[in-house]
Amino acid sequence: MLLEGKKVVIMGVRNKWSIAWGAVQSAYEQGAEVICTCSGDSVEKVKDLTKDMKNVSVYECNDVSKDEDIDKCLEEIKKDHGKIDGLLHAIAHANTEDLRNDFILTSRDGYAHAQDVSAYSLVAIVRMAREKEMLNEGASIVAYTYYGSEKVIEGYNVMGVAKAALETSIRYLAKDLGKDGYRINGISAGPIKTLSAKGIKDFGSILDVVEERAPLHKNVTINQVGDATAFLFSNMSSAITGEIIHVDNGFSIVGV
């Protein structure tokens, strides 16, 4: 098993349809001790999902736009589990009106909110984890992004801008973290029907286009993204850092 003996934190699990849940399942199947973090009413849902899984625990991290909430969550994890080997950032949010309206109508507050929760939170979480000395030697960090950071996707709007910031942050963090022997990479997952995806206008048509035009002619699943995450957590990816890996059945390589 790829992750036997490793402890990984999966941040941003919401329900059984979330991409982060695919990561939980893959890491668990590969032998890892899995630590989930959730916000609000997701905590009880995830506890129910994991009740029959050994070596899986759930913690609340309610608001990643507040340093004190991140600090409290990481401190509790460190106290209970010690050092970790992997950390997944699967956290993003934008106001509904900023996804439904034209991008030019994005409010200043909406723009700042999307950047804070979806991009800056990665910087804050990684910095605090390093300051708390809770990362084991060779620790691997992964963050989820999407093709809307590279190309205009109808309805993705301010989230595309936030994901572009997230991807650039990954590259700069790779330089800083490399000094300590830690790695960080991003996975650009193909579109998946999640709770968050419901906020994107005409999301179903995006799935149809991917199925038609992707070289493998199908949409990606949360389990496939989870397997790629497990690989990046594993020692088999020890020379990979600062990369954005597309897990989208090849859709991102297709031109006109």
Side-chain angles (χ1 to χ4, degrees), residues 209-231:
V209 169
V210 171
E211 189 170 344
E212 177 186 346
R213 299 185 61 193
L216 294 178
H217 297 290
K218 56 186 176 181
N219 282 286
V220 72
T221 67
I222 63 171
N223 299 103
Q224 290 172 320
V225 178
D227 288 345
T229 306
F231 164 72

Side-chain angles (χ1 to χ4, degrees), residues 190-241:
I192 296 174
K193 192 179 292 185
T194 64
L195 188 62
S196 298
K198 290 182 178 180
I200 300 174
K201 185 169 55 178
D202 298 326
F203 181 75
S205 64
I206 297 176
L207 295 174
D208 292 340
V209 169
V210 171
E211 189 170 344
E212 177 186 346
R213 299 185 61 193
L216 294 178
H217 297 290
K218 56 186 176 181
N219 282 286
V220 72
T221 67
I222 63 171
N223 299 103
Q224 290 172 320
V225 178
D227 288 345
T229 306
F231 164 72
L232 287 175
F233 280 155
S234 78
N235 295 338
M236 293 185 73
S237 62
S238 60
I240 303 174
T241 194

